[in-house]
Amino acid sequence: MTEVIIVGAGPTGLMLAAELALAGVDIALLERRPNQELIGTRALGLQARTIEMLDQRGIADRFLAEGQVAQVLGFGTTRLSIIDFPSRHPYGLGLQQQHTERLLAQRVSELGVRIDYGVEVTGFDQDLKGVDARLSDGRELRAEYLVGCDGGRSLIRKMAGIDFPGWEPTMSSLIAEVELSTEPEWGVHHHAFGTQAFSQLTSGRASLVVSEREPQENSEPTLEDLRSALNDAWGTDFGAHNPSTITRFTDMARQVSAYRSSRVLLAGDAAHVHSPVGGQGLNTGVQDAVNLGWKLAQVVRGVSPEALLNTYHSERHAVGARVIHHNLAQTALMRMEDRIQALTEVVDEWLHMDEPRRTLAGALSGLDIRYETSAERGTSRGDEVHPLLGRRVPDVDLHTSEGMRRLYTYLHEGQAVLLNLGDPGDLDITAWSDLVRRVDARYYGGWELPVVGEVAAPTAVLVRPDGYVAWVGESSSTGLDEALAFWFGSSSGMKEWMPEDMSAEQQE
C-alpha cells in the first residue's frame, strides 16, 4: 500500500510529487506515456508567481539557466510589463514545456520518487479509508488518496463522476512544424478566421499557427486538416509536407464543480481547461500542486483532519474561475469583426494606463492572488485585516543571527515559518515546533505588494509552506494560536471554520 497515487507526470503531477516527497509521503507516480518525451507544441513558459514558487524551493536557478527571461504577459494585442513590480522575478520565462518537465522530473528523482511510465489507471473504487486502483499492467494498488493530474480529458475525473461544466468551442487553431515547398509571408497575420503565423526554424522547417474556418474538436489532427486550413485562409497549402508535430487547440473552457470527491482529488488541466492564449494553464496547474501538496501531506501524516483538504477546493477553484474569466475575455478579443476590433483598441488604451495595467498584470502573473484566511472567516463584515493576510509573502532580506538571509530560503524544505520581527520572547509556538520553523530576525525596509503597494510593517508573520501569509502580528500575538490550530493540526479549529458549501461526503 502506498499513501498517495498521482496519475499523470506532466508539470502538475511532477510538482505535486516533489512537494509530497519533500514532506516524506510515499508516492506512486504513474504516467501513461512510455517516457517523458512530449509530442507537439505545449506550454511555452513560466509566469512570475510560478518562478517565485520554484525559488521558494531553491530550484528556480535551474529553470532560469535554461530559459529566456522576458516580459511575456499580454492581453489581447497589448503587452503588459511587470518590470516595476516588487518581486525578485518581475518577468516571465520563455521555456518550452518539455524542458520544464525534464527539470521537474530531475527534481522528483533527487527526492527519491520513481515514475512508472507506460501505466495508467483503468478503474478505481474508494471507501472511507482509501482508494483501490486497477492499473493497465494488471496490478492493483491501494492508497489513502488518489490525485488526477491526467490532463483535460482526465479519466480520473470521468471515473469519479465529477461535473465539468463550461463553454463549448467557438474557434480552433492548428499548431504544426512542417516542411513547406513554397515560402509564405513570415510573421503574424490577422485574418477573418483568426491569427495566422509563420516562423522559420533554424532547421529550415516552418512553425505554423493556422486558425480554422470552422471550430474542430478532434484532438489528433492530420496533415490533410492542416492543408485544408491553409487553403481556406490563403488559397494555397504552401506544399506542406513531412510534419513532425500537428496539434489542435480550441477556446473551449471548463472547470470542475469540485476539486475533491472524498479521497479523489484533481489538479491542473484535469480540473480546468481553456485556450492556451495568455499562457496560464501550466502555471495554474503547478500552483494547484503547491497549494495541495503540503495540505495533503499533513492529512496523510495525521497532523490535520481531512477537512483541511476542503481549503484546497475553496482556494484553487476561485483562482481557476478567475483564470477562465480572463481567458474568455482574451479569446473574445481575438475575433476579427469590426466591433471587436474597436473594443480591442479601447482596451489597449486603458491598458497603457498604469493602474489598469498593474491590476490586470497582477492577476495574469499570479502575483496578486489572495486567499481568504481562517482569521477573516471569524470577523464581522467590514472588519479590517492586514493587506498581507492571504497573499504571497515578499522575499525580504532579513538580518538574522546567521547573517543576511532571504525569507524564501527558509521555505526550501517545505516547512511553514513564523517570522518574528519583534521581541524574541513574545511568541510561543512550542506545540507546533515540529511543523513551523520560528525565525527571529529584523527587517529595515518597507513592505510592498504587487498592485496593492506599500503596506504597514508587521511585527510577525506566519507563512504557510506554499508561501502565503496565514497570520499577521501587529504588536501582539492575538489570533496566532487560532491560525496555527486551523492550518497545523486542530480538528476542533477545523470544524469551526468548515466551509458551508462542502458536501457531507467531502467533510468526512
Side-chain angles (χ1 to χ4, degrees):
M1 178 173 176
T2 190
E3 291 176 316
V4 177
I5 299 171
I6 301 173
V7 183
T12 301
L14 290 167
M15 192 70 192
L16 179 59
E19 291 293 285
L20 290 173
L22 195 62
V25 175
D26 184 39
I27 306 156
L29 178 55
L30 313 178
E31 171 53 54
R32 65 184 180 89
R33 290 176 289 172
N35 51 52
Q36 206 67 45
E37 182 180 348
L38 277 175
I39 298 175
T41 301
R42 303 293 179 90
L44 299 176
L46 304 177
Q47 305 288 11
R49 181 55 187 149
T50 306
I51 301 170
E52 283 191 343
M53 285 184 160
L54 297 170
D55 201 355
Q56 289 171 188
R57 296 297 180 258
I59 59 174
D61 287 349
R62 306 181 187 187
F63 296 82
L64 294 171
E66 296 205 19
Q68 179 64 49
V69 169
Q71 295 298 322
V72 301
L73 289 179
F75 193 83
T77 60
T78 308
R79 309 313 300 170
L80 302 174
S81 173
I82 59 170
I83 193 65
D84 57 339
F85 275 31
S87 167
R88 291 188 192 273
H89 305 287
Y91 45 73
L93 185 70
L95 185 66
Q96 293 190 348
Q97 183 171 329
Q98 61 260 39
H99 300 303
T100 298
E101 287 196 15
R102 174 174 51 80
L103 293 169
L104 287 174
Q106 289 174 3
R107 165 73 166 174
V108 164
S109 177
E110 291 166 3
L111 292 169
V113 178
R114 181 173 64 90
I115 304 173
D116 283 338
Y117 289 106
V119 180
E120 57 185 318
V121 173
T122 59
F124 63 81
D125 300 295
Q126 60 173 315
D127 53 43
L128 294 178
K129 293 186 178 180
V131 182
D132 293 300
R134 296 177 292 280
L135 309 185
S136 58
D137 60 5
R139 287 182 293 158
E140 292 190 1
L141 189 60
R142 182 166 177 81
E144 294 184 41
Y145 290 91
L146 184 151
V147 186
C149 303
D150 52 337
R153 295 185 293 276
S154 170
L155 291 174
I156 302 303
R157 181 187 66 238
K158 294 171 184 176
M159 288 187 285
I162 298 175
D163 290 338
F164 200 36
W167 292 262
E168 296 296 332
T170 64
M171 61 177 69
S172 62
S173 298
L174 299 173
I175 303 177
E177 290 186 8
V178 298
E179 293 181 15
L180 300 179
S181 300
T182 304
E183 185 169 320
E185 184 179 348
W186 305 106
V188 178
H189 311 279
H190 298 293
H191 188 276
F193 305 159
T195 300
Q196 316 286 337
F198 301 86
S199 61
Q200 191 165 26
L201 304 175
T202 56
S203 63
R205 299 170 67 83
S207 175
L208 313 181
V209 177
V210 185
S211 294
E212 297 177 285
R213 180 191 294 271
E214 299 292 339
Q216 307 292 323
E217 296 188 58
N218 181 4
S219 61
E220 298 181 359
T222 65
L223 178 59
E224 288 308 309
D225 291 331
L226 177 64
R227 287 172 171 167
S228 176
L230 285 168
N231 270 307
D232 285 342
W234 298 96
T236 175
D237 63 11
F238 300 100
H241 63 283
N242 192 23
S244 56
T245 63
I246 306 177
T247 57
R248 175 179 278 123
F249 70 88
T250 75
D251 64 341
M252 179 180 70
R254 296 184 182 278
Q255 184 183 28
V256 291
S257 56
Y259 280 42
R260 176 190 173 211
S261 175
S262 190
R263 290 182 174 266
V264 177
L265 301 107
L266 301 173
D269 288 352
H272 41 76
V273 296
H274 50 76
S275 164
V277 172
Q280 302 296 302
L282 181 152
N283 292 273
T284 307
V286 168
Q287 292 173 40
D288 286 347
V290 178
N291 184 288
L292 174 60
W294 67 276
K295 296 174 182 177
L296 185 55
Q298 287 187 183
V299 172
V300 167
R301 290 159 57 195
V303 170
S304 297
E306 276 194 60
L308 181 63
L309 298 177
N310 293 342
T311 68
Y312 168 61
H313 167 88
S314 61
E315 292 181 345
R316 295 307 298 174
H317 190 279
V319 170
R322 186 172 72 158
V323 167
I324 289 176
H325 182 72
H326 284 138
N327 187 264
L328 290 172
Q330 287 224 61
T331 54
L333 291 175
M334 292 173 62
R335 302 180 188 280
M336 296 297 111
E337 297 97 324
D338 290 345
R339 289 176 175 81
I340 298 298
Q341 290 305 297
L343 175 61
T344 298
E345 291 173 8
V346 172
V347 170
D348 181 72
E349 290 178 7
W350 288 340
L351 293 180
H352 278 87
M353 302 176 190
D354 270 353
E355 187 169 347
R357 171 189 61 88
R358 286 196 300 267
T359 299
L360 188 54
L364 297 178
S365 65
L367 291 174
D368 81 330
I369 290 172
R370 182 176 180 276
Y371 298 135
E372 184 183 13
T373 67
S374 58
E376 288 178 273
R377 297 184 189 110
T379 61
S380 301
R381 182 171 295 181
D383 287 352
E384 290 188 6
V385 297
H386 196 284
L388 278 172
L389 199 60
R391 299 184 187 273
R392 35 74 81 188
V393 69
D395 185 24
V396 295
D397 290 312
L398 301 171
H399 296 260
T400 75
S401 59
E402 304 169 325
M404 293 291 294
R405 294 287 186 274
R406 291 171 49 197
L407 176 52
Y408 282 7
T409 62
Y410 293 105
L411 296 171
H412 285 184
E413 301 305 316
Q415 189 176 24
V417 172
L418 177 64
L419 175 61
N420 178 35
L421 300 170
D423 187 333
D426 282 351
L427 305 174
D428 180 11
I429 60 167
T430 304
W432 293 276
S433 59
D434 289 341
L435 294 167
V436 182
R437 178 177 182 176
R438 174 171 164 161
V439 176
D440 294 318
R442 291 290 185 268
Y443 175 62
Y444 300 107
W447 288 78
E448 190 175 2
L449 295 171
V451 183
V452 175
E454 191 168 342
V455 301
T459 55
V461 179
L462 177 62
V463 184
R464 305 185 330 187
D466 57 359
Y468 288 85
V469 176
W471 173 82
V472 179
E474 300 178 86
S475 301
S476 83
S477 61
T478 301
L480 175 59
D481 284 354
E482 290 82 357
L484 288 164
F486 180 83
W487 293 112
F488 305 108
S490 167
S491 59
S492 60
M494 186 60 63
K495 290 175 182 176
E496 180 181 354
W497 303 116
M498 181 73 68
E500 296 178 357
D501 58 347
M502 286 295 171
S503 68
E505 181 186 46
Q506 289 172 308
Q507 294 176 19
E508 289 176 349

